[in-house]
Amino acid sequence: MKEFMFLVRGYHKLTEEESQQSMQKYVTWMQGMMDKGLYKGGQPLTQDEGRLVKNPSEVLTDGPFMEAKEVIGGYVIINANNYEEAVEHAKACPLLDHCALEVRELKAMD
Amino acid sequence: MQPANTSKVNELVDHLFRRESGKMVAVLTRLFGVHNLELAEDVVQDTLHQALSDWQKSGIPNNPEGWLMVVARRKAINLLRRERYTQNFADDIDPFLKSEWTLSYTIDNVFLETEIKDSQLRMIFTCCHPELSHESQLALTLKTLCGFSIKEIANALLTTESTINKRLYRAKEKIRKGDIRFEVPLGNELLRRLDAVYLTIYLLFNEGYNSSTDDLLIRKDLCSEAMRLTLLLTEKPLDAYPKTHALLALMCFHAARFDSRIDDKGCIIILEEQDRSLWNKELIGKGIDYLTKSAHGEHLSSFHLEASIALQHCMAKSFKETNWKQIYTFYDKLYEIKPSPVIQLNKAIIAGRVYGPEEAIIELHRLEKDKNLVNYYLLPASLGEFYLQVNNKERAKTYFEKAKKLTQSKAELELLERKLKS
């Protein structure tokens, strides 16, 4: 079993009702992943600000550095055997309703 | 906001805190996991401290219960965030609490009114788990569900604070090790576990009703807490159990007579001499409602019979007009279900009312041979009483003296003293 990260790309301001609905869908999806022992963790990121530290003397404060549809809004880590499986899980993830998911394998360092 | 007033704040806080702390501990334990029971208690303590200092400064808020829950909730969120990389919380919701995607949503759900009740039910079954000794169950119930301090528990259970601390430590050790789950059991298991809960609540009530603690306030609190916990058991999803209603009826009938049993000086007034107009009619009425509700199903429990006996007393216009025959039949049935020497003793006493004191004296002497009753003060006290009735003052005196050696309760001693003088 390998670990994969969904990088949540894109940002969409939700209404109260939308956010309640998507929360319920997300909780259901997450519960399903937990029941299969595949859920590892995840956190959202703030959208309004960011810093890019290029080197000790160069820090960019203009955030969030990319076009809105590209911004990383958070991450989720899951278990899967390979990219195919990981992508299938991503397809079922309700975060997809409002964002794109970049699926990347976490590297096990030698 | 009302103006701050230290003594008023303290008074309100005493009562409110006792009631609300059990609720908050249950909810926070639902979040943190039962292995973190102490953490939940710490957060609740912290909340109560803050309430006390804030309210003294700026007055009691309009909705103090709501205030406490809001503050407890905030403190819980802070703790969950602080500890999420080092601690495990409640098994089934741990990942939801550790991700900011789902944290508030999950907490909101746990703080819903129905979920608060569910958490309290889970806590009842945890505190009354058969893996724990009866003594530990009582101490733990009083501490976590009823918000009693260690000192109050020691007072209520007539023991020392260090003994209570030891009992609580042992109980919490068992819980930490994971032997006891924070849940309402299902199916057949539920029936077995409900019996354990009934027993603990029943003991709690009896501690308040009969115990020898001189502190009348504590005793009343024990009774009302026992009733409050039973009331929780009558709500969904557990509302279908007739035995719960029978227990509640029993407690209503006894509680209705609470005030008439003790005079201003804390002395016992025996049933025969009680002012029946002081009996709480509202509680008797409630008891009758519960007893009616309990009358379904095939199982006649000891609570049903004890409640029926208590009701006979409540309905009798005077001691003389009591339907002793009916009571005697109930005791007969009770003895079939629960063949205990104490019930036999009660039966003998009632036999004295139905068939005359001579009959009681014969029965009671027979019971003197029972090893279980050797140190039970009520046996010689009853013998003394019936010897008085047949005018054998000498023997009566012997037995009252004997009874005096077997009780430490001031009120009981005082009663025997009065009998000795009569």
Side-chain angles (χ1 to χ4, degrees), chain A residues 19-99:
Chain A
S19 110
Q20 192 68 22
Q21 278 175 1
S22 71
M23 182 54 74
Q24 263 154 25
K25 280 167 84 177
Y26 183 73
V27 165
T28 310
W29 175 80
M30 186 170 152
Q31 185 70 59
M33 294 297 280
M34 278 160 58
D35 293 345
K36 284 178 254 170
L38 300 177
Y39 179 85
K40 297 289 283 189
Q43 299 293 356
L45 300 175
T46 59
Q47 303 293 335
D48 41 358
E49 246 193 304
R51 302 282 186 280
L52 183 61
V53 184
K54 293 186 117 179
N55 58 55
S57 59
E58 192 182 355
V59 178
L60 301 181
T61 51
D62 280 353
F65 317 108
M66 277 179 269
E67 307 217 9
K69 61 177 167 35
E70 296 280 312
V71 163
I72 295 175
Y75 68 90
V76 178
I77 301 174
I78 62 148
N79 282 328
N81 286 311
N82 49 47
Y83 263 110
E84 283 68 37
E85 278 184 25
V87 166
E88 285 310 307
H89 291 309
K91 282 181 183 167
C93 177
L95 288 169
L96 215 54
D97 289 351
H98 308 287
C99 311

Side-chain angles (χ1 to χ4, degrees), chain B residues 7-236:
Chain B
S7 75
K8 197 177 167 192
V9 168
N10 283 339
E11 194 185 312
L12 174 101
V13 152
D14 259 7
H15 238 81
L16 179 76
F17 282 12
R18 183 165 291 171
R19 216 175 47 221
E20 293 301 302
S21 84
K23 224 182 194 181
M24 290 191 281
V25 170
V27 175
L28 297 187
T29 303
R30 175 77 192 94
L31 291 173
F32 301 163
V34 73
H35 57 288
N36 281 321
L37 175 58
E38 274 179 31
L39 204 58
E41 288 180 323
D42 289 347
V43 173
V44 170
Q45 271 311 307
D46 197 27
T47 305
L48 298 179
H49 278 280
Q50 192 183 325
L52 206 55
S53 81
D54 279 20
W55 297 358
Q56 267 162 5
K57 264 182 250 145
S58 47
I60 298 165
N62 291 328
N63 174 5
E65 293 91 351
W67 190 101
L68 287 173
M69 271 299 176
V70 168
V71 173
R73 183 186 188 281
R74 195 172 60 229
K75 285 183 191 295
I77 291 195
N78 289 342
L79 185 133
L80 290 165
R81 287 191 170 132
R82 202 168 58 235
E83 303 283 330
R84 69 177 156 215
Y85 295 111
T86 47
Q87 282 257 18
N88 285 323
F89 307 122
D91 262 2
D92 54 333
I93 52 173
D94 176 83
F96 290 112
L97 296 172
K98 285 182 172 165
S99 170
E100 289 290 338
W101 298 112
T102 45
L103 174 64
S104 323
Y105 176 84
T106 309
I107 290 194
D108 283 347
N109 277 337
V110 170
F111 274 81
L112 289 176
E113 203 54 50
T114 50
E115 287 302 308
I116 294 177
K117 284 212 178 107
D118 175 72
S119 298
Q120 285 179 286
L121 282 179
R122 290 171 188 241
M123 189 58 101
I124 293 180
F125 281 96
T126 301
C127 289
C128 304
H129 198 287
E131 277 285 310
L132 305 171
S133 70
H134 287 308
E135 290 165 335
S136 294
Q137 290 182 33
L138 278 180
L140 195 62
T141 301
L142 286 171
K143 180 83 185 5
T144 55
L145 278 159
C146 310
F148 276 49
S149 70
I150 304 285
K151 192 167 169 232
E152 288 169 326
I153 302 174
N155 273 344
L157 303 182
L158 288 179
T159 178
T160 62
E161 290 179 46
S162 88
T163 305
I164 295 300
N165 274 321
K166 269 183 226 148
R167 285 179 195 166
L168 287 173
Y169 177 80
R170 274 198 294 268
K172 286 180 179 172
E173 209 39 37
K174 264 213 171 110
I175 291 172
R176 247 195 310 272
K177 273 195 270 165
D179 298 348
I180 290 168
R181 298 188 57 82
F182 191 64
E183 63 189 12
V184 176
L186 298 167
N188 286 339
E189 172 77 355
L190 175 62
L191 281 182
R192 194 175 67 88
R193 295 281 304 281
L194 256 177
D195 275 335
V197 170
Y198 293 141
L199 183 59
T200 302
I201 294 180
Y202 183 70
L203 288 174
L204 201 68
F205 187 87
N206 276 338
E207 261 331 304
Y209 198 69
N210 293 322
S211 104
S212 5
T213 291
D214 300 318
D215 189 336
L216 202 59
L217 275 178
I218 285 262
R219 295 181 44 184
K220 273 195 169 173
D221 271 355
L222 283 172
C223 289
S224 64
E225 282 299 316
M227 291 172 82
R228 187 179 65 87
L229 295 178
T230 315
L231 212 51
L232 271 171
L233 295 177
T234 62
E235 291 188 35
K236 282 190 166 50

